[in-house]
Amino acid sequence: QVQLQESGPGLVKPSQTLSLTCTVSGGSISSGGYYWSWIRQHPGKGLEWIGYIYYSGSTYYNPSLKSRVTISVDTSKNQFSLKLSSVTAADTAVYYCARLDDYFDYWGQGTLVTVSS
Amino acid sequence: DIQMTQSPSSVSASVGDRVTITCRASQGISSWLAWYQQKPGKAPKLLIYAASSLQSGVPSRFSGSGSGTDFTLTISSLQPEDFATYYCQQSYSTPPTFGPGTKVDIK
């Protein structure tokens, strides 16, 4: 059973960089076949896809966030990470990592990140 | 980007009711559509993929249909554990996009 777990600071100051890591267990990122994604959900709102990465390092980002987003992968640790720069209060959200196999079939539990001074 | 819309935005129903939720894509997406269930404080859960295929472990009271631009999720007999918000999502093109959600609550 594949499991994903997000980790990182729950509070980030405005203009700083949000950094989160997703640790995958029960399956290897380097086995290929899946895209490893970040998705966020603003409080009380819908779901917004941020981007994904393949085990090889190929990435695709949501054009609406592309200038601020970097997703990277560490196959030795079976982890992938999100960096979102120049954050504002509008980036306050629950951030999920998820596995994309045409559809998002496995999700982490989510982590709330609040942007506030 | 492909825009996804859902109707209704909320529905009040009783246990045992048949509930139908509609999702529409801004352009044809063939059958590249999924449905997710989300309960408060939890991550979304994949229910239906490829418009009508039931994800493993999902009760058979859930079904999906449609292709092209119009899709439906049907819960044949609503159970207490089904009160949640439901989202559709297209995987036809990148970026994948979600509908705004339909909240199913207790009448």
Side-chain angles (χ1 to χ4, degrees):
Chain A
Q1 176 79 342
V2 174
Q3 293 185 315
L4 295 88
Q5 177 70 57
E6 305 88 352
S7 59
L11 181 64
V12 181
K13 289 181 167 48
S15 81
Q16 294 191 341
T17 296
L18 179 160
S19 296
L20 296 173
T21 295
C22 183
T23 301
V24 179
S25 58
S28 173
I29 288 178
S30 57
S31 65
Y34 306 105
Y35 290 88
W36 302 92
S37 297
W38 288 98
I39 295 162
R40 71 180 182 179
Q41 186 170 34
H42 294 102
K45 301 296 184 182
L47 298 157
E48 179 182 28
W49 175 76
I50 298 170
Y52 58 55
I53 191 164
Y54 197 56
Y55 80 97
S56 61
S58 297
T59 55
Y60 196 101
Y61 303 137
N62 192 321
S64 66
L65 296 167
K66 185 177 182 179
S67 63
R68 300 195 291 131
V69 172
T70 303
I71 298 176
S72 59
V73 65
D74 186 339
T75 54
S76 67
K77 295 181 179 179
N78 221 29
Q79 296 175 333
F80 62 105
S81 298
L82 168 70
K83 291 189 185 299
L84 181 65
S85 64
S86 305
V87 297
T88 70
D91 295 307
T92 293
V94 174
Y95 287 76
Y96 295 100
C97 56
R99 188 180 83 167
L100 178 63
D101 177 19
D102 288 336
Y103 305 97
F104 299 103
D105 58 355
Y106 289 98
W107 297 65
Q109 65 185 23
T111 187
L112 174 63
V113 178
T114 301
V115 178
S116 175
S117 55
Chain B
D1 299 3
I2 296 176
Q3 306 303 315
M4 308 300 291
T5 57
Q6 288 181 235
S7 62
S9 57
S10 66
V11 57
S12 294
S14 301
V15 172
D17 283 353
R18 181 182 183 89
V19 173
T20 298
I21 299 169
T22 297
C23 175
R24 176 166 288 174
S26 60
Q27 65 185 75
I29 59 170
S30 185
S31 294
W32 290 96
L33 185 100
W35 289 97
Y36 301 85
Q37 176 194 67
Q38 187 178 34
K39 297 181 179 179
K42 300 294 186 182
K45 172 188 173 183
L46 178 64
L47 298 177
I48 302 282
Y49 63 95
S52 61
S53 296
L54 199 66
Q55 177 71 346
S56 176
V58 174
S60 59
R61 62 182 179 273
F62 291 93
S63 63
S65 64
S67 66
T69 60
D70 296 311
F71 303 86
T72 59
L73 172 71
T74 300
I75 309 171
S76 60
S77 178
L78 199 66
Q79 297 303 299
E81 60 268 31
D82 301 337
F83 292 98
T85 299
Y86 295 83
Y87 294 93
C88 60
Q89 175 251 323
Q90 65 83 18
S91 280
Y92 180 78
S93 67
T94 302
T97 46
F98 294 86
T102 295
K103 184 176 182 180
V104 178
D105 60 21
I106 301 172
K107 181 184 284 185

